[in-house]
Amino acid sequence: MCRTLTTSIKIFSSLIFFACLVTTGKAGLLDKISVDAATDVVKATTITDADLQASTRQMMVQMDAKNHVAPAGNKYAQRLVGLTKGMTNEDGLKLNFKVYLVRDINAFATPDGSVRVFAGLMDKMTDDELRFVMGHEIGHVKLGHSLKATRTAYMASAAAKTASANSRLSTQQLSELGEKLLNAQFSQSQESDADAYGVGLMKRHKFNLAAAESSMRKLAELDGTAAGGSSSMFSSHPGSKKRADKIHEMIAGK
């Protein structure tokens, strides 16, 4: 109800702004801008979840083309295939996994079910630790965090000027959408919920639960939060040390 009310206020405000320009005689370019702005608001707020997922699929095609994806025979790709066996359909979400051959220590998942792991992260983690990290990222998707972030990124991008995300977005629009989405930050409660989802995934597949905690301990060492700092290796993953402590409690059943 609140979301609908807020949306209505935004649209109404844009239309009132347009009316004021006309009544004060400032027609021409300004009234066209106000009409465009109001139209953009309407388009952005009426984009469906299916539209956003379609945009994400387009974005991932471009991202995979721009990054060095590990080929099938590559050692990183072979390792990923082995450690993700039995995880191609997680909790109703069809997943596809690939490795980006870059030194960055990162991983992410998108609403269309794409999971991308960076070689730099694989170099630092055991198989079960990687499974937890991926489970955490999948959690963001399954819990709706990623779709919400995608909607926010979409509305802030040039893609919002298209009538529907089902339309083919331009290369520039896809790049802008991808950049905004990857730089999106999740709240502390969302991170905690995604951690819990990751632990649940480990339990369902009977993976080593201790790896969930140890993966976060490693991140704490890597991002300088071993002493309890608030920053993290991932800009959207605050407080690795505190999160590792909480995961320890989850596993212990406290």
Side-chain angles (χ1 to χ4, degrees):
M1 178 65 71
C2 291
R3 180 179 299 175
T4 302
L5 178 60
T6 302
T7 298
S8 299
I9 290 173
K10 288 180 178 178
I11 297 173
F12 181 70
S13 297
S14 297
L15 295 176
I16 288 296
F17 174 61
F18 167 63
C20 289
L21 287 174
V22 173
T23 56
T24 54
K26 296 180 179 179
L29 178 60
L30 287 180
D31 61 349
K32 182 180 185 304
I33 290 174
S34 61
V35 169
D36 288 346
T39 302
D40 287 348
V41 170
V42 173
K43 289 177 180 177
T45 54
T46 56
I47 291 298
T48 67
D49 289 353
D51 289 335
L52 291 171
Q53 289 173 333
S55 287
T56 304
R57 283 193 291 272
Q58 293 178 40
M59 181 190 75
M60 289 309 303
V61 169
Q62 179 174 303
M63 287 189 66
D64 288 348
K66 291 176 61 177
N67 287 281
H68 189 184
V69 175
N74 181 274
K75 65 177 183 179
Y76 288 100
Q78 291 179 333
R79 181 186 173 195
L80 187 65
V81 168
L83 67 90
T84 57
K85 186 176 181 179
M87 294 175 62
T88 53
N89 191 308
E90 190 60 40
D91 197 16
L93 178 66
K94 187 176 180 180
L95 302 172
N96 66 91
F97 300 88
K98 291 183 182 180
V99 179
Y100 284 171
L101 295 177
V102 292
R103 295 180 180 178
D104 301 57
I105 301 174
N106 209 342
F108 66 90
T110 53
D112 69 316
S114 296
V115 181
R116 300 296 179 264
V117 185
F118 293 19
L121 179 67
M122 296 184 74
D123 288 339
K124 301 293 184 181
M125 300 281 179
T126 66
D127 285 359
D128 278 331
E129 288 170 343
L130 284 170
R131 286 169 176 142
F132 171 74
V133 172
M134 288 188 291
H136 170 95
E137 299 301 332
I138 293 168
H140 279 309
V141 174
K142 288 297 299 179
L143 295 172
H145 305 160
S146 297
L147 194 61
K148 183 177 180 180
T150 303
R151 182 177 294 278
T152 299
Y154 184 90
M155 291 178 68
S157 73
K161 294 184 179 298
T162 64
S164 167
N166 282 326
S167 304
R168 295 296 300 179
L169 303 183
S170 70
T171 299
Q172 180 179 353
Q173 288 174 333
L174 289 171
S175 294
E176 184 180 355
L177 180 61
E179 182 178 353
K180 290 182 181 296
L181 182 57
L182 293 183
N183 289 330
Q185 294 192 1
F186 297 114
S187 69
Q188 193 165 356
S189 63
Q190 287 176 324
E191 295 293 4
S192 180
D193 289 345
D195 284 342
Y197 185 94
V199 170
L201 180 147
M202 299 287 281
K203 289 180 178 179
R204 288 195 299 275
H205 288 276
K206 302 186 185 307
F207 296 143
N208 178 15
L209 283 179
E213 179 183 352
S214 62
S215 67
M216 292 307 301
R217 300 289 180 199
K218 284 185 178 179
L219 295 187
E221 293 174 359
L222 290 166
D223 65 20
T225 64
S230 60
S231 63
S232 167
M233 175 193 69
F234 302 140
S235 62
S236 62
H237 294 52
S240 298
K241 168 63 168 61
K242 292 180 179 179
R243 286 169 56 204
D245 292 342
K246 191 167 183 178
I247 289 172
H248 176 82
E249 294 178 356
M250 287 181 195
I251 295 172
K254 296 181 180 180

